[in-house]
């Protein structure tokens, strides 16, 4: 299906064409029509499937074609991390280039002055992390009384990060009559249960991970003892000296430790996770995107805001115990139809995780020997 066939406002189409978009991805095809019809949605789709555009494009169209007071907050998008908030706000600016709609992003970890100044100038769409949103509501800078469209993105990470109570507080402040869109890379039972309390009469969309994983990403695993993981990582980096490599660590402490060990081996890298300042995270991510830094170490939560078109290799230094998380991680490479590689390091305690992952994606991951 082509975007031109969806009946989008011409101002929207001009923005899409300028970005080189023409054909909708599977998740966009399944989600955009019911959103345009005003229905609530719960959708499960891994990264790289076009999930963000799937809700932003029809959302912008509805704002353009419905009556609302310019400058009032009519659409609210809640996300778990600063990086993802910034990424989505940039996407809105790109998609809505010719629409005249205003968008503002707010998040914690920085002084609020610049954000409150932007809010005073008015905005149609607000992208926010939960804590900063509630803080500015309590200070009287934000009212949610005019919200017509509410999006909760990366819901699984909201749960993992302990935002569930904040989300419930935010929902309680929203008008009862609204369109709600609920997106998540994974859909564990707790998330499905939460969605029934947020959404009205909704449609459910699921894009199965194996549809993208097996076809787009070359996957392999090394069985290696925990003490030898760093040596193997150094070896792979030296074998791929010019490649952009995203390394996943299970914990913040583990990410910092990997950076220290790589530094001892004279390999430049940086870590991004929740304990890093906003400035440090943005510098590391910016340098990585520009190619000034080849190795980035990330935790799952921090990586939710990483959107890089040409990522050569994803390395699972620690294998996740949730199979869907593995799918989300390796989806960082092989985006937009390009080929990609993902290599996992598996110690004795993680072998059961590999079995669970293979069961989910429906393929046997190639085993490599560590010579």
């Amino acid at each position: 299906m082509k975007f031109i066939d969806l009946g989008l406002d011409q101002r929207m189409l001009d923005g899409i064409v300028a970005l080189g978009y023409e054909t909708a991805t599977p998740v966009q095809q399944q989600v955009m029509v019911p959103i345009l019809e005003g229905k609530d949605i719960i959708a499960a789709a891994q990264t790289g499937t076009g999930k963000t555009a799937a809700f932003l494009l029809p959302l912008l169209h509805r704002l353009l074609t419905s009556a609302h007071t310019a400058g009032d907050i009519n659409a609210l998008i809640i996300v778990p991390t600063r990086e993802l908030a910034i990424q989505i706000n940039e996407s809105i600016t790109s998609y809505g280039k010719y629409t005249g709609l205003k968008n503002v992003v707010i998040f914690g970890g920085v002084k609020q002055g610049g954000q409150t100044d932007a809010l005073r100038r008015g905005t149609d769409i607000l992208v926010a992390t939960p804590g900063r949103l509630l803080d500015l509501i309590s200070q009287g800078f934000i009212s949610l009384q005019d919200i017509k469209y509410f999006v909760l993105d990366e819901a699984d990470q909201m749960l993992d990060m302990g935002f569930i109570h904040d989300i419930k507080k935010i929902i309680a402040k929203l008008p009862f009559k609204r369109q709600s869109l609920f997106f998540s890379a994974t859909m564990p039972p707790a998330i499905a249960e939460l969605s029934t309390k947020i959404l009205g009469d909704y449609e459910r969309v699921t894009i199965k991970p194996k549809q993208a994983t097996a076809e787009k990403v070359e996957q392999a695993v090394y069985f290696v003892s925990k003490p030898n993981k760093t040596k193997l990582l150094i070896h792979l980096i030296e074998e791929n000296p010019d490649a952009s490599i995203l390394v996943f660590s299970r914990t913040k402490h583990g990410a910092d430790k990997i950076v220290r060990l790589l530094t001892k081996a004279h390999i430049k890298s940086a870590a991004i996770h929740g304990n890093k300042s906003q400035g440090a995270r943005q510098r590391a991510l910016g340098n990585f995107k520009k190619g000034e830094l080849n190795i980035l170490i990330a935790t799952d939560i921090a990586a939710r805001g990483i959107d890089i078109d040409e990522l050569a290799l994803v390395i699972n230094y620690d294998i996740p115990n949730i199979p869907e998380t593995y799918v989300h991680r390796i989806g960082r490479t092989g985006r937009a139809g390009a080929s990609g590689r993902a290599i996992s390091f598996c110690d004795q305690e993680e072998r059961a995780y590999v079995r669970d992952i293979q069961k989910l994606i429906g393929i046997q991951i190639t085993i490599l020997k560590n010579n």
Side-chain angles (χ1 to χ4, degrees):
M1 179 185 293
K2 296 186 182 300
F3 287 111
I4 196 170
D5 299 324
L6 290 166
L8 295 174
D9 186 280
Q10 186 59 48
R11 291 165 289 180
M12 286 288 308
L13 290 173
D14 290 342
I16 297 169
V17 170
L19 293 170
Y21 290 7
E22 182 179 349
T23 304
T25 67
V27 70
Q28 290 164 359
Q29 292 180 34
Q30 294 185 52
V31 166
M32 289 179 69
V33 171
I35 294 178
L36 289 169
E37 292 174 348
K39 297 177 181 177
D40 285 2
I41 288 289
I42 177 170
Q46 70 184 77
T47 186
T49 57
K51 177 163 57 74
T52 300
F55 66 78
L56 283 184
L57 296 179
L59 180 64
L60 292 171
H61 172 86
R62 298 213 72 198
L63 283 168
L64 286 170
T65 56
S66 63
H68 72 280
T69 303
D72 287 346
I73 303 173
N74 275 244
L76 174 63
I77 302 171
I78 301 292
V79 298
T81 68
R82 312 166 212 179
E83 286 80 10
L84 187 56
I86 292 168
Q87 177 191 318
I88 288 178
N89 193 61
E90 290 173 347
S91 295
I92 295 170
T93 300
S94 297
Y95 301 153
K97 183 177 181 180
Y98 304 106
T99 65
L101 294 170
K102 293 182 179 180
N103 49 292
V104 169
V105 60
I106 62 171
F107 46 82
V110 296
K111 292 182 179 179
Q112 70 179 42
Q115 297 176 4
T116 53
D117 287 346
L119 288 167
R120 287 191 187 99
R121 292 191 291 269
T123 184
D124 303 290
I125 307 167
L126 179 63
V127 185
T129 53
R132 177 54 60 93
L133 176 62
L134 287 170
D135 188 18
L136 295 186
I137 288 174
S138 69
Q139 294 180 53
F141 287 107
I142 295 173
S143 168
L144 302 183
Q145 66 181 10
D146 296 313
I147 297 295
K148 296 181 177 66
Y149 311 103
F150 172 61
V151 181
L152 184 64
D153 194 23
E154 302 289 7
D156 51 352
Q157 290 303 310
M158 293 283 191
L159 194 67
D160 288 346
M161 295 174 71
F163 281 135
I164 187 65
H165 297 298
D166 285 350
I167 295 301
K168 289 179 178 178
K169 289 178 184 177
I170 292 166
I171 291 169
K173 298 178 184 297
L174 295 172
F176 178 76
K177 188 177 180 181
R178 65 178 190 270
Q179 183 177 14
S180 297
L181 313 175
F182 192 99
F183 286 80
S184 187
T186 63
M187 201 63 65
I191 292 299
E193 182 182 352
L194 175 64
S195 69
T196 62
K197 299 176 182 178
I198 295 176
L199 304 176
D201 182 19
Y202 65 89
E203 289 196 14
R204 180 167 185 145
V205 177
T206 300
I207 305 298
K208 295 182 179 179
K210 65 181 181 182
Q211 289 178 296
T213 306
E215 296 173 6
K216 291 164 57 177
V217 181
E218 177 187 338
Q219 302 169 64
V221 61
Y222 283 101
F223 290 112
V224 57
S225 66
K226 189 173 294 186
N228 286 326
K229 284 188 175 184
T230 305
K231 293 178 183 177
L232 179 56
L233 177 61
I234 292 170
H235 171 71
L236 290 175
I237 291 171
E238 290 175 343
E239 275 195 338
N240 301 272
D242 300 320
S244 56
I245 303 175
L246 177 59
V247 181
F248 280 98
S249 166
R250 184 174 293 113
T251 65
K252 303 169 189 175
H253 170 74
D256 288 335
K257 183 178 179 181
I258 293 170
V259 170
R260 290 195 300 270
L261 292 170
L262 290 179
T263 300
K264 287 182 179 179
H266 307 292
I267 296 173
K268 185 180 178 182
S269 66
I272 61 169
H273 53 65
N275 286 352
K276 296 286 185 180
S277 69
Q278 173 65 15
R281 290 163 72 168
Q282 288 303 116
R283 280 194 302 275
L285 185 55
N287 290 338
F288 190 62
K289 287 184 174 182
K290 290 184 290 187
E292 295 174 4
L293 178 73
N294 286 353
I295 316 299
L296 191 65
I297 320 298
T299 56
D300 289 301
I301 290 173
R304 288 293 172 110
I306 297 176
D307 187 12
I308 300 164
D309 290 333
E310 297 181 3
L311 179 61
L313 177 62
V314 166
I315 294 179
N316 291 302
Y317 190 92
D318 300 308
I319 296 180
N321 61 344
I322 300 173
E324 290 86 357
T325 299
Y326 169 87
V327 171
H328 191 89
R329 285 182 181 184
I330 72 170
R332 294 293 164 193
T333 184
R335 298 174 78 97
S339 60
R341 293 174 63 210
I343 295 175
S344 301
F345 298 171
C346 179
D347 63 36
Q348 186 64 36
E349 295 178 358
E350 296 170 318
R351 293 201 173 209
Y353 303 159
V354 173
R355 289 193 292 271
D356 291 341
I357 289 165
Q358 292 181 147
K359 183 178 179 181
L360 174 69
I361 64 178
I363 65 171
Q364 292 293 310
I365 300 173
T366 303
I367 300 173
L368 299 177
K369 292 187 177 180
N370 184 18
N371 298 320

